[in-house]
Amino acid sequence: MHTTLLKAKHVVVLGLGISGLSAAQFLLNRNAKVVGVDRNPDLPLTNSTVASLCERGMIFSPEQQPLDISQFDLLVVSPGINPTHPLYQQAEKHGIEIMGEVELACREMTKTCLGITGTNGKTTVTLLITHILQQAGIKAQALGNIGLPLTSALDIPEWQAADVLVVELSSFQLETLTARCLDTAVILNITPDHLDRYPSLEAYALAKLNIRRNLKKKGVLFIEDKCLKEFGHLLPSSDSPHSYGYSPSDQIHTDTQMIYHHGIPAFELPSSLQGKRSHDIENIMAAYALCHSLGISNEVFVRALASFQKPSHRIEFVKTISGIHYYDDSKGTNIDAVIRAVEGFKSNVILIAGGVDKGFPYTPWITAFRNRVSAVYAIGQSKEKIAQDLAAHLPVTLCKDLEEAVQRATCVAKAGDNILLSPGCSSFDMFKDYAHRGQEFQRIVNALKENIK
Ligand code: UMA
């Protein structure tokens, strides 16, 4: 049985997805009495993990059934649970401790932990750092919002063997995280996202900036220069984060040829990236900041960088058919991600966008798309809103699904054009998740024939 710092004995786990199931297992391993709550009343019948946790003693309670939270001493909330959720509210009212799955793990964590947050690029930077550390001979494991809960790291032998945990943290996870578990952390950028959960961009930014409270005593926080200028006023005046960016006054900076550390040349950027500001360069600086904090040499960093493969569905080239290039950026799930994707192309873009709206206007696309995007094919729940926001400036065609959008975009495209799926929205109206949406796009494109027009 596990040694534990966990004092709670009667625990409600709210939401039985990836995080909740891992948290429930972690708690059962530590002899807690667990009630698992989910809005899907069929879970014990349809989900084998839920069924096996019930066999181990977890009691399943459908969200629709009243639950007296005052009988419990801890509520563990999944990241997707909004603080306005009735059970969350009742727990607050009764003074019951509320924490997320990450907090549960961090209270027991003794390993070196690096934290990565930001609106865009989190997963790429998390995987890049993990790759570089592994190439340097360090046992590193990527965890967190990337899809592997931290509580599993404490209980699964192969992950227990990791020396460094590289933790991707979302704003949702940071809302409830107070443990001082991070040796070094980075905020990559903050641009509008999840405004269906937060009342304002400032509230969303504050959730991201919460990562400062998770630093260990001598922990260092890096913030990208532009983000620091925009949101630094929300930090306490006693905080002194390090910055990275394009200004020689940043601790780590670049002139888009070299990376400099405290003004001293550290290494030359890959030639394909030189000469133009880009999120790829910013991601490299973020990774360098965290790897350097663990003593990785410039030589090892550069060598490992060269062998890194970007994860799928991030401006991923799919195929060229009759001179038309198809790109899958299904992970582009907010306004700024789409702008960054579009800005990366040298020739005309035909954009496929839409899905579940996250509460922000699409109007910033008007200026950003000028002379870059010739037409938009809109799909999903947000398609009418996209048309409303853009149609006075750009042709927007409403399509019933992704397949129709690909076909119609292909019909108008000329040789040399790029057809880009970069939705700017969540995927849950039509797909399981962004990866499923990207796979479907690639399947549809791969089924297209030469000279189909
Ligand atoms: N549920 C309820 N009641 C509610 C809401 C949800 O019962 O009111 C239940 C659902 O029926 C479902 C479960 O809660 O069974 C889902 O919980 P969840 O939404 O917290 O999702 P998990 O499966 O636990 O996955 C979460 C993260 N999801 C979200 O933050 C929405 C995953 O990030 C993460 O990989 C995983 O934990 C492991 O840490 C995904 C994500 O979209 C990739 N993240 C957002 C982003 O990156 O922008 C924040």
Side-chain angles (χ1 to χ4, degrees):
M1 199 39 63
H2 298 268
T3 52
T4 178
L5 304 176
L6 184 77
K7 297 209 174 58
K9 287 287 162 228
H10 295 92
V11 187
V12 174
V13 175
L14 177 52
L16 295 176
I18 298 172
S19 300
L21 291 176
S22 181
Q25 188 142 349
F26 178 91
L27 288 158
L28 289 171
N29 288 349
R30 284 150 184 80
N31 284 334
K33 290 195 166 49
V34 179
V35 172
V37 177
D38 200 281
R39 65 182 165 203
N40 178 356
D42 300 327
L43 272 187
L45 298 174
T46 56
N47 184 312
S48 59
T49 311
V50 174
S52 76
L53 289 174
C54 288
E55 271 168 29
R56 288 189 57 197
M58 182 179 85
I59 295 168
F60 177 75
S61 177
E63 191 180 79
Q64 299 76 2
Q65 195 172 293
L67 186 70
D68 182 4
I69 192 83
S70 67
Q71 303 302 307
F72 296 85
D73 43 21
L74 174 66
L75 172 68
V76 175
V77 287
S78 294
I81 300 293
N82 198 313
T84 56
H85 191 285
L87 216 50
Y88 197 120
Q89 294 283 311
Q90 281 169 39
E92 272 192 333
K93 196 170 124 210
H94 286 97
I96 313 285
E97 189 174 15
I98 301 171
M99 66 171 75
E101 176 271 330
V102 180
E103 177 82 25
L104 199 55
C106 284
R107 297 225 178 154
E108 263 188 36
M109 193 69 78
T110 51
K111 293 176 189 291
T112 300
C113 286
L114 305 178
I116 296 103
T117 195
T119 305
N120 294 310
K122 291 187 291 294
T123 301
T124 303
V125 172
T126 300
L127 291 174
L128 175 57
I129 292 170
T130 308
H131 172 76
I132 290 165
L133 296 180
Q134 286 170 348
Q135 294 295 305
I138 295 172
K139 286 184 192 141
Q141 174 70 49
L143 291 161
N145 189 60
I146 201 163
L148 295 173
L150 258 78
T151 38
S152 336
L154 289 163
D155 288 358
I156 293 177
E158 63 188 278
W159 296 353
Q160 280 169 345
D163 295 322
V164 178
L165 303 182
V166 188
V167 189
E168 175 182 335
L169 290 161
S170 71
S171 58
F172 299 167
Q173 289 168 322
L174 288 166
E175 280 173 20
T176 51
L177 186 61
T178 57
R180 289 181 165 273
C181 50
L182 302 176
D183 293 79
T184 318
V186 64
I187 302 178
L188 305 174
N189 45 57
I190 300 177
T191 57
D193 201 356
H194 299 303
L195 295 184
D196 45 350
R197 167 123 156 199
Y198 298 99
S200 63
L201 178 59
E202 189 168 304
Y204 169 62
L206 279 167
K208 291 262 178 228
L209 293 167
N210 268 346
I211 201 167
R212 54 175 289 282
R213 6 175 242 198
N214 309 119
L215 290 168
K216 291 177 184 168
K217 219 166 174 193
K218 290 194 174 155
V220 176
L221 174 62
F222 284 86
I223 307 185
E224 188 268 330
D225 180 66
K226 187 165 153 270
C227 179
L228 184 59
K229 288 198 174 92
E230 200 172 347
F231 297 104
H233 66 281
L234 299 173
L235 291 168
S237 55
S238 53
D239 277 23
S240 48
H242 292 204
S243 66
Y244 66 92
Y246 299 98
S247 159
S249 62
D250 294 318
Q251 272 87 353
I252 294 169
H253 92 273
T254 183
D255 52 12
T256 74
Q257 308 288 328
M258 294 286 296
I259 300 289
Y260 300 82
H261 188 225
H262 290 290
I264 297 164
F267 62 91
E268 196 177 345
L269 282 163
S271 54
S272 59
L273 299 179
Q274 288 184 13
K276 191 174 168 235
R277 293 182 179 201
S278 70
H279 59 272
D280 287 324
I281 297 183
E282 290 155 28
N283 289 346
I284 289 172
M285 284 192 280
Y288 179 71
L290 269 58
C291 289
H292 190 269
S293 77
L294 291 186
I296 304 300
S297 71
N298 297 344
E299 293 70 29
V300 169
F301 185 90
V302 172
R303 211 177 318 123
L305 186 60
S307 59
F308 177 65
Q309 299 282 333
K310 249 193 192 182
S312 271
H313 315 301
R314 285 143 177 97
I315 324 179
E316 183 183 349
F317 171 70
V318 183
K319 205 173 181 182
T320 297
I321 307 171
S322 304
I324 304 161
H325 314 298
Y326 293 82
Y327 286 87
D328 166 12
D329 187 41
S330 179
K331 189 67 177 52
T333 56
N334 52 63
I335 297 297
D336 195 56
V338 178
I339 293 175
R340 281 164 173 253
V342 163
E343 283 177 351
F345 288 93
K346 293 199 174 80
S347 56
N348 182 50
V349 171
I350 297 171
L351 179 72
I352 299 173
V356 180
D357 183 68
K358 288 179 167 176
F360 33 64
Y362 299 93
T363 44
W365 287 354
I366 295 168
T367 328
F369 286 4
R370 202 161 287 150
N371 302 323
R372 293 180 189 275
V373 176
S374 61
V376 176
Y377 289 82
I379 55 171
Q381 285 174 6
S382 60
K383 64 184 173 192
E384 276 89 11
K385 184 173 165 194
I386 292 175
Q388 219 169 35
D389 284 2
L390 305 184
H393 307 267
L394 194 75
V396 180
T397 307
L398 304 189
C399 302
K400 73 172 187 317
D401 55 25
L402 184 58
E403 186 138 17
E404 185 188 324
V406 173
Q407 274 158 6
R408 296 185 79 159
T410 302
C411 283
V412 299
K414 298 186 198 65
D417 282 354
N418 305 289
I419 296 184
L420 169 70
L421 167 71
S422 189
C425 296
S426 303
S427 56
F428 308 114
D429 52 345
M430 293 184 287
F431 306 95
K432 280 204 291 270
D433 50 28
Y434 80 84
H436 179 218
R437 175 169 59 192
Q439 284 150 10
E440 277 299 291
F441 177 72
Q442 298 202 15
R443 182 190 63 73
I444 294 164
V445 170
N446 281 315
L448 293 173
K449 304 263 182 315
E450 292 279 339
N451 304 315
I452 50 164
K453 287 193 275 183

